[in-house]
Amino acid sequence: MMVAKLVCTIFIRTCLWVLLVPSLTPAMETMESDITCLRSLKSQLKDPHAYLSNWVFGNYSDGYICSFFGVHCWRSNYNKVISINLGGSGLEGEFTSDVKLCSLIESLNLTGNNLSGTLPSDIFSSLPYLVTLDLSNNNLAGKIPSSFSNMSYLNTLLLDHNRFTGRIPSELASSPRLKQFSVTHNDLKGLIPEFTNGKISLSSFEGNPDLCGFPLDPCSDSFYSMAIIAANIAAAAFFPVGVCYGWLYDSHKQRQRPRRR
Ligand SMILES: *[C@@H]1O[C@H](CO)[C@@H](O)[C@H](O)[C@H]1NC(C)=O
Ligand SMILES: *[C@@H]1O[C@H](CO)[C@@H](O)[C@H](O)[C@H]1NC(C)=O
Ligand SMILES: *[C@@H]1O[C@H](CO)[C@@H](O)[C@H](O)[C@H]1NC(C)=O
Ligand SMILES: *[C@@H]1O[C@H](CO)[C@@H](O)[C@H](O)[C@H]1NC(C)=O
């Protein structure tokens, strides 16, 4: 079973490769672009523990970036990145939008660093093959870009333990292949959109005091506005009754008064 799965994976990768390479080879700059991607990543990030010390640019042999720490390529002799895993490397600084130059990347894992700033809203729609994105346990802030929903192969999106604010983009909820999703421990607020994949559970949203709606508690502000609407309906419905009652009561009193004299 495992072997079959492995053979399948290799087969699919090879097919993808065969399909992709002809579209790539005419444009050498697409390979340059992966080098620029990594070069930008290195220059943007502070690396206090020198994990990126073997990221040395300027050796122009085929596939030289494939031996960089945390970098894997589609083929070891071809400068085209399939994954970057720099989890727990103590990296600091802002996320660079040049990551989009690693255009065929499948997996980007920067969990457990000290990345700060916001996520540029355009980059993720430029990474069509991304399957796994793990940016959990950093210091990222700002909004969750709605462009995540444009990544049709995105399967795992982990943004937990950051400082993201605003709402969860409703577009994300219809992301076709999203299976693993977590935004716990951020400062998100508002109604959780209805995920078409029903498997996203309570544990994906915890630690955001202002998030509400299924699978968390109902939104109190929607209850509040519903209460206001209900009160208005009641007022509208009972206003004529009140007027009539008042009028009847008055005329009743008026009729009674003479009798008492
Ligand atoms: C360039 O990188 C390749 C692959 O990592 C290595 O075998 C080669 O020695 C390097 N050449 C130079 C000049 O550093
Ligand atoms: C990201 O990398 C860390 C180790 O650095 C690993 O524990 C974690 O499972 C990875 N995330 C994903 C989604 O694979
Ligand atoms: C993370 O970076 C901020 C500055 O951006 C710094 O103040 C803080 O000490 C860093 N945290 C860790 C755990 O390195
Ligand atoms: C998704 O991509 C399309 C076409 O590239 C673009 O028009 C649209 O604005 C994108 N959606 C988001 C939410 O970024």
Side-chain angles (χ1 to χ4, degrees):
M1 189 62 195
M2 287 286 282
V3 173
K5 223 172 161 183
L6 188 67
V7 168
C8 261
T9 311
I10 291 170
F11 177 73
I12 288 166
R13 290 238 165 113
T14 309
C15 286
L16 252 179
W17 185 244
V18 166
L19 287 172
L20 288 170
V21 165
S23 67
L24 292 175
T25 29
M28 274 302 282
E29 68 270 20
T30 56
M31 280 195 274
E32 274 305 309
S33 81
D34 284 52
I35 297 171
T36 310
C37 161
L38 299 183
R39 202 194 285 273
S40 280
L41 204 57
K42 181 170 176 170
S43 71
Q44 280 264 325
L45 299 175
K46 268 197 268 170
D47 179 22
H49 307 294
Y51 278 99
L52 306 185
S53 59
N54 83 342
W55 286 35
V56 180
F57 296 90
N59 165 344
Y60 294 102
S61 65
D62 290 339
Y64 81 95
I65 61 172
C66 307
S67 60
F68 286 4
F69 174 77
V71 174
H72 288 94
C73 294
W74 282 84
R75 288 281 157 93
S76 62
N77 59 352
Y78 197 76
N79 286 334
K80 208 72 202 149
V81 174
I82 189 172
S83 72
I84 300 176
N85 186 347
L86 295 171
S89 306
L91 302 171
E92 291 176 22
E94 301 211 357
F95 200 89
T96 167
S97 59
D98 281 347
V99 164
K100 71 177 171 215
L101 297 174
C102 285
S103 55
L104 295 186
I105 194 168
E106 272 192 1
S107 168
L108 178 60
N109 186 343
L110 298 171
T111 185
N113 285 290
N114 194 3
L115 302 184
S116 53
T118 58
L119 293 179
S121 60
D122 63 317
I123 47 173
F124 299 109
S125 48
S126 319
L127 294 174
Y129 303 106
L130 204 60
V131 174
T132 301
L133 181 62
D134 189 348
L135 299 175
S136 58
N137 297 290
N138 278 288
N139 240 323
L140 295 163
K143 297 202 164 165
I144 296 176
S146 58
S147 56
F148 278 131
S149 58
N150 257 355
M151 297 192 287
S152 27
Y153 297 104
L154 191 64
N155 185 292
T156 301
L157 177 58
L158 304 179
L159 302 173
D160 43 292
H161 291 89
N162 277 286
R163 295 190 291 121
F164 288 112
T165 52
R167 291 167 181 268
I168 298 172
S170 56
E171 294 91 342
L172 203 54
S174 51
S175 199
R177 291 192 173 78
L178 196 59
K179 287 203 179 66
Q180 219 192 332
F181 174 74
S182 179
V183 290
T184 62
H185 301 278
N186 280 284
D187 294 319
L188 298 166
K189 66 164 191 209
L191 183 65
I192 296 170
E194 196 180 327
F195 280 80
T196 46
N197 176 349
K199 283 180 195 139
I200 311 293
S201 71
L202 179 71
S203 58
S204 298
F205 303 102
E206 283 165 349
N208 293 277
D210 297 326
L211 264 190
C212 59
F214 182 80
L216 302 180
D217 292 336
C219 296
S220 59
D221 64 349
S222 76
F223 262 16
Y224 182 59
S225 52
M226 267 165 67
I228 289 176
I229 290 167
N232 279 331
I233 290 171
F238 289 108
F239 181 69
V241 176
V243 168
C244 291
Y245 181 77
W247 179 72
L248 284 172
Y249 184 68
D250 263 353
S251 57
H252 182 65
K253 270 200 305 201
Q254 268 162 20
R255 260 185 276 124
Q256 275 185 341
R257 259 180 232 133
R259 244 185 259 163
R260 270 201 207 129
R261 276 183 201 152

